[in-house]
Amino acid sequence: AQSVTQPDIHITVSEGASLELRCNYSYGATPYLFWYVQSPGQGLQLLLKYFSGDTLVQGIKGFEAEFKRSQSSFNLRKPSVHWSDAAEYFCAVGAMDSSYKLIFGSGTRLLVRP
Amino acid sequence: EPEVTQTPSHQVTQMGQEVILRCVPISNHLYFYWYRQILGQKVEFLVSFYNNEISEKSEIFDDQFSVERPDGSNFTLKIRSTKLEDSAMYFCASSADRGQGGEQYFGPGTRLTVT
């Protein structure tokens, strides 16, 4: 069965520091992978996606993620975090069945120290 | 930029009552979804809808739930007899395609509180 694991429930970084949020997936074939961000009281905004091709994908707000098939990972990175990046981040895999539903990880809450 | 809208933003209802959550997907999208997020938990798939029928539903989506696209623009989720455990944030999503390029756009959500 498809699943997504985000091992870090909370991460705290200082403003200006680099960030890496971990995501591991379980899927038989090449997955469709996504990162979404949810600010408090808001909906889910797509940061970036991976379907195929270049394993390093660029997204909005200066985020990038790297697909590593050998490690079943799709970690999200940002070189310099801003206070406005404080939010919850969800990794998701797209199911390759009749629904193409998204299967989400449990999320990582990012706190940014001034 | 087109966006998915949802109404109401917050709905409070008593246990056993019927609720209808409304969504207006992006106008040229063809695939529609409902997800829910219980407070502090992950976002869970409820149902997908295409060509006026359900394409898949989760175990959560039992006989108390139904979806409808009544007029070609709205997409509704009905819960016939709400239970306390239905309290959650409900998100509607739509996509133009499936698979590659079929990214899902989410609405802001409806917070349902069952008392």
Side-chain angles (χ1 to χ4, degrees):
Chain A
Q2 299 141 347
S3 66
V4 177
T5 301
Q6 294 180 248
D8 303 305
I9 298 173
H10 295 103
I11 282 188
T12 301
V13 299
S14 297
E15 191 167 14
S18 64
L19 171 70
E20 182 168 25
L21 301 182
R22 296 184 289 165
C23 172
N24 293 96
Y25 66 89
S26 172
Y27 189 70
T30 300
Y32 297 157
L33 294 161
F34 305 83
W35 274 99
Y36 283 85
V37 61
Q38 183 182 33
S39 298
Q42 302 295 310
L44 297 159
Q45 182 182 23
L46 180 67
L47 284 176
L48 46 77
K49 62 188 180 186
Y50 172 78
F51 289 148
S52 64
D54 194 348
T55 57
L56 184 64
V57 293
Q58 302 297 319
I60 63 171
K61 305 185 180 188
F63 286 93
E64 66 178 28
E66 186 171 13
F67 170 60
K68 292 186 177 179
R69 184 190 304 276
S70 62
Q71 298 176 19
S72 297
S73 70
F74 188 57
N75 294 347
L76 182 72
R77 301 194 294 248
K78 187 170 184 177
S80 178
V81 168
H82 187 264
W83 64 267
S84 60
D85 293 324
E88 184 125 27
Y89 291 80
F90 292 94
C91 181
V93 63
M96 300 287 284
D97 55 24
S98 60
S99 71
Y100 284 83
K101 62 182 177 284
L102 295 177
I103 298 163
F104 285 86
S106 52
T108 297
R109 181 166 296 279
L110 173 65
L111 304 173
V112 181
R113 279 193 297 257
Chain B
E1 183 178 330
E3 59 182 17
V4 177
T5 59
Q6 290 185 243
T7 54
S9 56
H10 191 190
Q11 173 91 47
V12 180
T13 190
Q14 289 189 326
M15 195 167 50
Q17 295 297 304
E18 174 184 286
V19 295
I20 298 176
L21 310 183
R22 291 183 168 80
C23 168
V24 179
I26 294 173
S27 61
N28 63 341
H29 283 188
L30 301 175
Y31 302 89
F32 312 108
Y33 306 83
W34 283 101
Y35 294 82
R36 80 171 186 190
Q37 183 183 31
I38 294 172
L39 187 64
Q41 298 186 23
K42 68 171 69 175
V43 178
E44 303 172 286
F45 167 77
L46 289 178
V47 66
S48 58
F49 191 86
Y50 168 70
N51 200 26
N52 278 323
E53 62 182 24
I54 291 173
S55 46
E56 185 172 332
K57 56 185 180 180
S58 72
E59 293 174 353
I60 304 166
F61 195 89
D62 61 22
D63 292 345
Q64 293 302 309
F65 290 86
S66 62
V67 290
E68 193 177 35
R69 190 159 159 79
D71 57 12
S73 61
N74 291 283
F75 180 51
T76 61
L77 174 69
K78 182 194 291 187
I79 309 174
R80 288 189 186 79
S81 178
T82 50
K83 302 188 283 278
L84 293 175
E85 53 264 38
D86 294 327
S87 295
M89 181 74 92
Y90 288 81
F91 292 106
C92 173
S94 68
S95 66
D97 200 349
R98 299 193 297 185
Q100 291 200 32
E103 57 195 72
Q104 293 180 28
Y105 293 82
F106 283 77
T110 293
R111 179 165 297 285
L112 176 65
T113 303
V114 182
T115 62

